[in-house]
Amino acid sequence: MTQPAKVSGEGISAAAYLPYHSAPSVPSFDVPKGAVDAHCHVFGPSARFPFAPERKYTPIDAAAETLFTLRDHLGFSRNVIVQATCHGRDNSAMLDAIARSGGAARGVAVVGEEITEAELDALHAGGVRGVRFNFLKRLVGNAPKDAYQRIAARLADRGWHIVVYFEMAELDDLRPFLLSLPGTIVVDHMGRPEVPEGIDSPAFQGFLRLLEDNEQFWVKATCPERLTQAGPPYDDVIPFGRALVAGFPDRVLWGTDWPHPNMRSHMPDDGALVDVILRIAPTEVLQRKLLIDNPMRLYWPEEVTP
Ligand code: 0GY
């Protein structure tokens, strides 16, 4: 792994955030061949792919080559690169990374209503298979639900899915909107529960019910490092991950979230994050679904034999 590029930026200072781990450990978990890191990002390099003027934070450059080195180091085979808010609706850094992955990466884009059908075609050709709607107030100025609904309606026929990022406290407000969306909906980062409330809290139980009652909802069992109060090895988040993987084994995804934008408390060791998989998906069958079968169905369906 190369050292992170120098910390620089405007807006909220990049210096407030920690750089990604420069020497992650080799996981103890021998990741199955063909595993997909289904949530990670590339940032910049900003000299070539400038950050969006409307961004709420300026991350440290995190180049595609570094992501691919990490992928190999951790024993993964493929990446799903998710467009983050700091690049706005300019998906070019992500598309460039996918183009240089040799077929080993696909992406989730951020688009606005102005996007044309030809531009959507180009995103598809570039490896995009979904769009992301972000509701975190610290990340986006506004989240226009009506525009999102119109965008979603245009994507349904393409076989794309919608990724939604919200905090669990917002779920009751968002529920009618979420239920109005067509096709597969993937919820980021376990729905961002309040971990100290525990898995029996009304909020998390309500989230489980949403998944139980609506088979179009998937969830990423990701980001113990963002959700934890206890810190590594994230004992407090494990019950949430286990409940999601056990309850919805065919609708869960896993990813590193490298390079971990906006982390202030600690920077995770990506090898240790991979070892969390053993605790939330304790059998080989569950691990295979989480890391291979499920992400392949969403992102490389043409390679899945029915
Ligand atoms: C993540 C989480 C974060 C950032 C973004 O779009 C983004 O800027 O997703 C976050 O700060 O929680 O998914 O990596």
Side-chain angles (χ1 to χ4, degrees):
M1 299 281 297
T2 51
Q3 271 298 117
K6 73 181 168 55
V7 174
S8 66
E10 33 188 335
I12 296 174
S13 164
Y17 308 122
L18 297 166
Y20 56 80
H21 204 294
S22 60
S25 59
V26 175
S28 311
F29 175 33
D30 191 7
V31 174
K33 193 168 156 21
V36 182
D37 173 352
H39 188 102
C40 50
H41 309 284
V42 290
F43 296 142
S46 50
R48 189 162 165 227
F49 301 109
F51 296 116
E54 73 275 15
R55 70 192 180 282
K56 301 266 193 172
Y57 67 95
T58 301
I60 293 162
D61 280 352
E65 289 68 32
T66 316
L67 174 65
F68 300 150
T69 301
L70 177 73
R71 174 199 66 203
D72 296 345
H73 175 81
L74 298 176
F76 279 72
S77 303
R78 304 182 195 227
N79 297 106
V80 177
I81 303 174
V82 177
Q83 175 78 353
T85 53
C86 54
H87 274 303
R89 295 172 186 177
D90 178 355
N91 295 285
S92 47
M94 178 191 64
L95 290 169
D96 177 72
I98 295 171
R100 286 191 288 128
S101 72
R106 289 225 154 132
V108 174
V110 170
V111 305
E113 271 203 281
E114 70 286 352
I115 195 153
T116 65
E117 292 303 307
E119 287 166 337
L120 287 172
D121 290 344
L123 287 177
H124 193 94
V128 170
R129 294 294 181 270
V131 300
R132 191 183 198 206
F133 299 152
N134 197 322
F135 288 93
L136 263 67
K137 294 187 178 68
R138 70 178 164 80
L139 294 175
V140 289
N142 72 330
K145 292 197 196 92
D146 47 348
Y148 286 169
Q149 281 165 324
R150 290 191 292 269
I151 292 168
R154 291 173 58 194
L155 303 178
D157 289 345
R158 292 179 179 269
W160 289 17
H161 60 277
I162 310 286
V163 174
V164 283
Y165 191 22
F166 58 83
E167 286 172 332
M168 201 160 283
E170 311 285 327
L171 178 56
D172 284 342
D173 283 349
L174 284 176
R175 191 183 306 263
F177 163 77
L178 295 173
L179 290 170
S180 78
L181 297 175
T184 299
I185 319 296
V186 182
V187 178
D188 270 341
H189 307 343
M190 308 194 198
R192 285 205 71 118
E194 286 297 327
V195 164
E197 293 177 3
I199 60 169
D200 294 327
S201 66
F204 191 67
Q205 288 298 315
F207 182 55
L208 294 179
R209 264 197 310 282
L210 176 78
L211 288 156
E212 274 157 21
D213 294 346
N214 301 281
E215 289 206 340
Q216 74 270 35
F217 283 85
W218 292 41
V219 59
K220 292 182 195 162
T222 39
C223 282
E225 75 284 6
R226 284 188 194 284
L227 304 173
T228 187
Q229 297 277 316
Y234 313 120
D235 292 348
D236 53 342
V237 189
I238 300 301
F240 292 84
R242 280 187 85 114
L244 294 170
V245 173
F248 311 98
D250 297 311
R251 294 187 266 147
V252 279
L253 301 172
W254 187 88
T256 54
D257 195 33
W258 188 88
H260 313 288
N262 298 316
M263 287 296 291
R264 294 164 189 262
S265 60
H266 73 288
M267 182 50 60
D269 168 355
D270 297 279
L273 280 181
V274 171
D275 284 338
V276 169
I277 297 168
L278 287 169
R279 302 169 71 200
I280 63 172
T283 69
E284 273 183 36
V285 170
L286 290 174
Q287 290 157 14
R288 217 193 135 77
K289 286 171 183 272
L290 179 66
L291 298 174
I292 304 173
D293 299 345
N294 299 344
M296 289 299 288
R297 260 164 49 226
L298 268 196
Y299 293 99
W300 283 271
E302 72 280 8
E303 292 187 35
V304 177
T305 37

